[in-house]
Amino acid sequence: YNLELFEGMTFSMWFNLPDGASSDVEYFTFFSLADYFKVKHLALQYIPSSEMIRIFVNGTAYSGKVGSIPEGEWHFISLVIDNTVATVFINNSRFEIPIKQMSLNYSKNNVFIVAQEQDRVGGYFDENQCLFGKIDQIRIFKKPLSCDRIAMIREEKIKY
């Protein structure tokens, strides 16, 4: 997206972790947004050892306990950012994490990365921080969606 000012966003996807995946990683990154000058501009991660969701906004970490995510099953996750609240949906559960007011600016230099995050400009990807498993139906919206719309997206899952 090449927006003048960030007013909110929604990211959603389905994922399936293989058996044993949680024991091999420090954390899973669902997505990250970085630009040339700032790493972890915006990121959504899950830490299996503490069963926490972590959100980075402008380099500041915000966390909330969400419980375990069973391996070998498909799960839905969505992040809705709307000014001072980050709402995370995991399957049928909803978690709100207060954040400082958003002040992200998008530019043509932004990079949106799915299933991994960049530690420094120019690469520096760590295999112990990526999302192992399968991903499906990635959706990115440049506005915050309502809880009802998130539920509709979750129910639209194509069964294989």
Side-chain angles (χ1 to χ4, degrees):
Y1 299 109
N2 190 7
L3 302 175
E4 298 278 328
L5 180 64
F6 181 88
E7 296 180 3
M9 68 155 297
T10 302
F11 169 84
S12 68
M13 67 185 258
W14 285 87
F15 67 97
N16 185 327
L17 305 174
D19 291 337
S22 296
S23 62
D24 296 335
V25 297
E26 178 184 350
Y27 56 83
F28 297 111
T29 300
F30 295 102
F31 79 89
S32 66
L33 175 70
D35 68 21
Y36 186 78
F37 303 103
K38 190 177 289 184
V39 177
K40 292 184 181 171
H41 208 36
L42 181 64
L44 175 63
Q45 301 169 337
Y46 175 69
I47 307 165
S49 61
S50 60
E51 300 179 350
M52 303 278 283
I53 282 288
R54 179 171 55 198
I55 301 166
F56 280 94
V57 179
N58 288 328
T60 301
Y62 302 90
S63 300
K65 189 155 181 84
V66 296
S68 68
I69 297 177
E71 297 171 340
E73 302 173 13
W74 282 99
H75 301 280
F76 175 80
I77 190 163
S78 183
L79 171 66
V80 178
I81 300 234
D82 188 4
N83 204 10
T84 59
V85 176
T87 306
V88 179
F89 297 85
I90 300 179
N91 299 320
N92 294 319
S93 299
R94 176 182 168 190
F95 307 91
E96 288 189 356
I97 301 172
I99 58 175
K100 291 181 183 175
Q101 186 162 350
M102 298 297 292
S103 61
L104 297 177
N105 289 312
Y106 285 95
S107 73
K108 63 182 178 181
N109 297 322
N110 290 136
V111 177
F112 197 91
I113 304 167
V114 176
Q116 181 61 284
E117 56 107 356
Q118 192 173 7
D119 289 328
R120 281 189 269 159
V121 174
Y124 300 95
F125 294 102
D126 185 336
E127 67 183 28
N128 293 317
Q129 300 169 351
C130 68
L131 179 66
F132 289 97
K134 300 175 184 176
I135 58 175
D136 194 15
Q137 298 183 22
I138 298 166
R139 297 178 185 194
I140 304 165
F141 301 87
K142 60 182 179 180
K143 65 180 183 178
L145 298 181
S146 68
C147 293
D148 290 340
R149 182 64 181 122
I150 297 296
M152 288 174 56
I153 291 170
R154 186 183 67 240
E155 295 305 316
E156 291 173 359
K157 171 72 173 129
I158 298 170
K159 305 296 181 195
Y160 293 100

